[in-house]
Amino acid sequence: MTSTFRTTSSLDHSFDVIVIGSGIGGLVTATQLAAKGAKVLVLESYVIPGGSAGYFEHEGYRFDVGASMIFGLGNKGTTNLLTRALQAVNINLESIPDPVQIHYHLPQGLDLKVDRDYDKFLQNLIAYFPHEARGIRRFYDECWRVFNCLNKIDLLSLEEPRYLLRVFLQQPLACLGLAKYLPQNAGDVARRYIKEPQLLKFIDMECYCWSVVPASMTPMINAGMVFSDRHYGGVNYPQGGVGQIAQALAQGLEKAGGKIKYQAKVTKILTQKGRAVGVQLASGETYGGKRIVSNATRWDTFEKLLPVEKVPHNEKKWQQRYQKSPSFLSLHMGVKDSVLPVGTECHHIILEDWQEMMTPEGTLFVSIPTLLDPDLAPRGHHIIHAFTPHWIDDWQGMSAKEYEAKKEAAAWRIIDRLEKIFPGLDAGLDYLEVGTPRTHRRFLGRVDGTYGPIPRRKLWGLIGMPFNRTSIPGLYCVGDSTFPGQGLNAVAFSGFACAHRIAVDLGL
């Protein structure tokens, strides 16, 4: 290994754990360990915590960087991981229940709301596909069986043998149930019960809207979690915006004795005799720790923070199975409240042609968080956050003038589509900020602005997803590049698992 990645005798080893990045996965790892008495340091390159769960403010508006559809803030069961993470550091965050998870506006006149009440949702869906009533119930009921298994288990590290043994002895049927579903994908299960092509396309969209792949490539365990928890713990919006989750976790970390340092960009993971022992910042400062946790993507971790020629073999194999998901083109809009018809829901998904679901600007995601928390916008106004997948390659190699022109053209294409649902949007527009994959890469520090890994081909459920430990001793990964994948509640799960594994390794 090259000498620039070796440690020096002056390296400070005063921390038990150093976490690179303050995304939700990193913050949950840090707070869980600090609550157990570990000396923890979080290093964040930006000025606030949260990453894609952060926020920004302008002209009286407080915008969420990413989506506003939040799982994990419920108050019962074991899957309310964000609530549990906050409770671990004695923080309580008020949230607002959303009565409808999504209002779908889909091809062939499929206009459907996913009601928080499970039976009402099924009735809404069966009304469109009465001939598939039995299949609909059987598929979504099977999702509940997955969820019920998860909801009986204390969700911690699957890499810790004593935990696995204890959980199996306590809940053998739940463990066996999850083991059964581990290699399965949601699409395969759906096709056991359902034949109607349009209904199967709807289930593809049900998966795509959070996994960025169709049902045939979406792990059944993940689908069971999302499709059931929206009716169990529900979708709950944090009062003050999504950024309050990270702010609260950062506050709890410091209350528990941990430290967080902002504008601290890590450029190297330092190693000694092949073991991760510290980090170096862009400023040249170095920090040493017994354990190093990367909340960066696995691509950033193993190709930028470590020498690219030293990428471990198992990471290369992982990259053969998974690729970077697209980034997003985002419109953050402030609009007059007259734009929104009475009865408008908070979250919408718009698609005009099934064939375009996975193409750039095909599926359009919309969040209107001020319908739940009006204080995020000036009086008489609402926030509309519209975003759609885009690849960074389509935004490279342009002059500044060409780049701005392309942003403007793309923004008005999206506004024209939104006008069909929200007539008068153009006339009622008060503020507009456009972000591209280049924006996401710049502010979130994620390679190509990606929002996580997606399978290159159909895989066996979650079996190919790596856990927190890496082949480099002392180095762990957390976040959407680790089991169980994308989404705030999923990365919180990875944070619980990572902290548990490290706590055992440190003897805490």
Side-chain angles (χ1 to χ4, degrees):
M1 191 167 284
T2 55
S3 59
T4 54
F5 288 84
R6 296 181 188 274
T7 59
T8 66
S9 58
S10 62
L11 190 64
D12 179 7
H13 287 84
S14 60
F15 295 102
D16 294 315
V17 182
I18 296 174
V19 180
I20 304 167
S22 68
I24 296 299
L27 285 172
V28 171
T29 303
T31 49
Q32 286 287 300
L33 288 166
K36 290 179 170 67
K39 294 181 179 178
V40 181
L41 171 66
V42 176
L43 298 168
E44 168 56 49
S45 62
Y46 197 46
V47 295
I48 59 171
S52 56
Y55 71 97
F56 67 95
E57 295 179 302
H58 206 279
E59 296 183 8
Y61 295 97
R62 176 177 287 187
F63 294 102
D64 298 324
V65 170
S68 308
M69 189 188 303
I70 306 302
F71 295 86
L73 283 175
N75 293 305
K76 57 182 181 177
T78 65
T79 62
N80 55 340
L81 297 174
L82 295 173
T83 298
R84 291 174 55 202
L86 291 163
Q87 288 174 343
V89 284
N90 299 311
I91 297 288
N92 178 53
L93 187 61
E94 295 296 325
S95 63
I96 305 157
D98 191 346
V100 170
Q101 182 213 4
I102 298 174
H103 184 175
Y104 285 111
H105 311 263
L106 301 176
Q108 299 169 269
L110 185 51
D111 189 276
L112 177 74
K113 296 182 181 182
V114 180
D115 197 274
R116 193 177 183 118
D117 180 270
Y118 179 58
D119 287 331
K120 188 173 180 181
F121 160 63
L122 290 185
Q123 290 168 13
N124 292 344
L125 185 57
I126 290 169
Y128 281 95
F129 305 101
H131 56 295
E132 288 280 15
R134 185 168 182 265
I136 288 169
R137 288 190 179 277
R138 292 183 71 185
F139 170 66
Y140 284 102
D141 282 353
E142 187 145 354
C143 291
W144 272 104
R145 285 196 284 276
V146 175
F147 178 79
N148 288 335
C149 291
L150 287 166
N151 203 31
K152 291 177 181 176
I153 294 172
D154 191 17
L155 301 176
L156 296 171
S157 177
L158 301 183
E159 297 181 281
E160 212 290 285
R162 287 173 295 179
Y163 158 74
L164 292 177
L165 178 60
R166 172 171 57 84
V167 167
F168 182 78
L169 292 174
Q170 291 173 344
Q171 297 288 346
L173 295 180
C175 291
L176 290 173
L178 291 176
K180 169 188 171 183
Y181 289 108
L182 195 61
Q184 298 188 52
N185 291 310
D188 297 325
V189 177
R191 281 167 173 77
R192 291 178 201 158
Y193 307 124
I194 294 168
K195 303 302 179 188
E196 166 64 48
Q198 188 186 6
L199 178 54
L200 290 171
K201 290 183 188 304
F202 171 75
I203 292 173
D204 278 338
M205 177 58 84
E206 281 260 83
C207 292
Y208 180 76
C209 72
W210 50 268
S211 69
V212 207
V213 287
S216 63
M217 298 170 72
T218 299
M220 184 59 181
I221 287 181
N222 292 27
M225 180 80 153
V226 173
F227 293 162
S228 304
D229 195 32
R230 63 190 181 186
H231 307 293
Y232 181 81
V235 174
N236 301 284
Y237 189 77
Q239 191 167 353
V242 173
Q244 294 302 305
I245 301 172
Q247 293 278 1
L249 285 170
Q251 178 187 351
L253 172 67
E254 293 182 320
K255 278 187 175 181
K259 295 182 179 180
I260 184 164
K261 183 179 176 68
Y262 298 104
Q263 294 181 291
K265 182 177 178 59
V266 174
T267 55
K268 295 177 183 177
I269 294 173
L270 302 172
T271 63
Q272 190 172 58
K273 297 180 180 179
R275 182 180 186 86
V277 294
V279 298
Q280 182 174 316
L281 307 187
S283 64
E285 294 175 89
T286 60
Y287 294 90
K290 297 174 184 176
R291 298 293 187 274
I292 310 300
V293 179
S294 177
N295 193 192
T297 72
R298 296 187 95 92
W299 294 281
D300 289 298
T301 301
F302 291 99
E303 296 178 1
K304 294 183 178 179
L305 301 182
L306 290 161
V308 67
E309 68 274 11
K310 299 289 186 179
V311 174
H313 177 68
N314 61 343
E315 293 298 327
K316 292 179 180 178
K317 285 187 66 177
W318 178 79
Q319 291 188 20
Q320 291 170 4
R321 294 191 298 264
Y322 289 87
Q323 62 182 328
K324 295 185 282 285
S325 70
S327 185
F328 288 97
L329 176 75
S330 291
L331 273 64
H332 289 93
M333 292 172 278
V335 302
K336 295 177 182 177
D337 58 11
S338 58
V339 169
L340 302 182
V342 175
T344 299
E345 304 297 347
C346 180
H347 299 106
H348 301 256
I349 288 181
I350 300 166
L351 179 67
E352 295 85 0
D353 182 346
W354 288 118
Q355 301 302 315
E356 300 296 317
M357 184 180 79
M358 297 180 64
T359 63
E361 293 187 39
T363 300
L364 182 58
F365 304 83
V366 180
S367 292
I368 314 174
T370 41
L371 289 169
L372 300 174
D373 187 352
D375 292 341
L376 300 173
R379 184 180 296 274
H381 292 76
H382 279 288
I383 284 169
I384 298 180
H385 177 200
F387 50 105
T388 186
H390 254 265
W391 298 97
I392 198 165
D393 290 347
D394 295 332
W395 295 89
Q396 305 280 45
M398 290 177 279
S399 67
K401 185 177 180 180
E402 291 170 332
Y403 179 60
E404 290 302 320
K406 183 168 183 172
K407 283 170 62 176
E408 183 175 1
W412 287 106
R413 285 196 300 272
I414 290 173
I415 290 172
D416 286 344
R417 291 171 69 186
L418 291 172
E419 278 270 356
K420 296 173 184 176
I421 296 172
F422 308 119
L425 173 61
D426 183 358
L429 194 61
D430 175 62
Y431 176 85
L432 174 64
E433 186 80 39
V434 183
T436 74
R438 284 168 53 173
T439 316
H440 288 85
R441 180 180 63 183
R442 176 186 173 193
F443 286 102
L444 303 183
R446 296 175 65 92
V447 59
D448 295 343
T450 181
Y451 269 68
I454 56 176
R456 291 184 181 273
R457 59 187 183 279
K458 185 177 179 179
L459 300 173
W460 282 14
L462 277 174
I463 286 179
M465 182 64 74
F467 295 113
N468 302 106
R469 287 189 295 186
T470 73
S471 58
I472 297 176
L475 177 63
Y476 304 73
C477 284
V478 72
D480 52 33
S481 296
T482 63
F483 183 94
Q486 297 185 40
L488 255 63
N489 213 26
V491 298
F493 186 164
S494 80
F496 274 96
C498 189
H500 179 214
R501 182 64 260 181
I502 292 173
V504 172
D505 292 344
L506 291 175
L508 297 176

